[in-house]
Amino acid sequence: MSNKMKGTILGLLGSLVGILFWVILGYIGIISGLAGALMGGAFIIIYKKINSDDTSNYSYIIGSIITIIEIIVAEFITLAIIAKANDVSFSFALSIKDIQISLVIDIVVGLILAGIVFATIIYSQKKKDKQKNDNNVINVKQASSDIIDAEIKDVRINDDDTDKTNTLL
């Protein structure tokens, strides 16, 4: 199994913890948006730990898609649990205007916080990649300079070369 696949699977499993966190917070009546941030951040962090050299946007795109789906699923799971606890059908609970508004607010807040986390992680990662590339350029320049210095030191002038130079002058 490739590192990309391992990172994706483990990132997904790690972000599923965010669903559990979302459901618990939602059940006790707290807006669960923070869990949305946890979902998105967990996926990217776990993926990048396994694929530290991957500079593509794969993790951000897949992480975004997974996070959006997980936030929506988590909110509906929370609603189903609350409806069951109150002996009300899920469809009835979903038809209540205040619950619909609460559902939308929770999802939007979760998406905004997840977006902030994504933006922060992406900015941080791009900054690290730029520093790594800058360090590689500096290392290449230093290595080139060292090679040139070594070649210059290896050049030996013998008496024949000196005589030829004097003749030309």
Side-chain angles (χ1 to χ4, degrees), residues 22-77:
W22 183 290
V23 170
I24 291 169
L25 288 177
Y27 185 74
I28 60 175
I30 299 173
I31 291 181
S32 325
L34 183 60
L38 176 66
M39 289 176 205
F43 178 85
I44 292 177
I45 290 168
I46 292 170
Y47 179 86
K48 288 294 185 180
K49 283 282 185 201
I50 294 170
N51 298 290
S52 58
D53 293 338
D54 185 5
T55 58
S56 71
N57 292 328
Y58 173 84
S59 65
Y60 309 127
I61 294 167
I62 298 299
S64 298
I65 293 167
I66 287 172
T67 301
I68 291 167
I69 293 168
E70 285 182 344
I71 287 172
I72 294 167
V73 167
E75 186 61 22
F76 281 102
I77 290 171

Side-chain angles (χ1 to χ4, degrees), residues 11-158:
L12 176 61
L13 293 174
S15 66
L16 288 175
V17 172
I19 289 180
L20 179 63
F21 190 50
W22 183 290
V23 170
I24 291 169
L25 288 177
Y27 185 74
I28 60 175
I30 299 173
I31 291 181
S32 325
L34 183 60
L38 176 66
M39 289 176 205
F43 178 85
I44 292 177
I45 290 168
I46 292 170
Y47 179 86
K48 288 294 185 180
K49 283 282 185 201
I50 294 170
N51 298 290
S52 58
D53 293 338
D54 185 5
T55 58
S56 71
N57 292 328
Y58 173 84
S59 65
Y60 309 127
I61 294 167
I62 298 299
S64 298
I65 293 167
I66 287 172
T67 301
I68 291 167
I69 293 168
E70 285 182 344
I71 287 172
I72 294 167
V73 167
E75 186 61 22
F76 281 102
I77 290 171
T78 304
L79 181 59
I81 291 171
I82 292 171
K84 183 77 171 169
N86 290 308
D87 234 5
V88 177
S89 74
F90 178 76
S91 59
F92 177 74
L94 198 53
S95 69
I96 299 170
K97 192 72 164 172
D98 287 344
I99 291 178
Q100 292 172 355
I101 292 170
S102 175
L103 188 89
V104 170
I105 290 171
D106 276 359
I107 290 172
V108 168
V109 168
L111 291 173
I112 290 170
L113 291 176
I116 291 169
V117 168
F118 268 88
T120 303
I121 291 172
I122 290 169
Y123 174 77
S124 171
Q125 187 64 42
K126 294 298 179 185
K127 191 174 177 181
K128 283 180 190 174
D129 291 345
K130 184 180 180 330
Q131 287 173 343
K132 188 187 288 186
N133 288 339
D134 289 348
N135 288 342
N136 288 341
V137 168
I138 290 169
N139 290 340
V140 167
K141 285 182 180 177
Q142 183 61 45
S144 299
S145 176
D146 291 346
I147 290 170
I148 291 169
D149 288 345
E151 288 178 358
I152 289 173
K153 288 178 185 174
D154 283 344
V155 173
R156 307 225 190 282
I157 300 177
N158 60 34

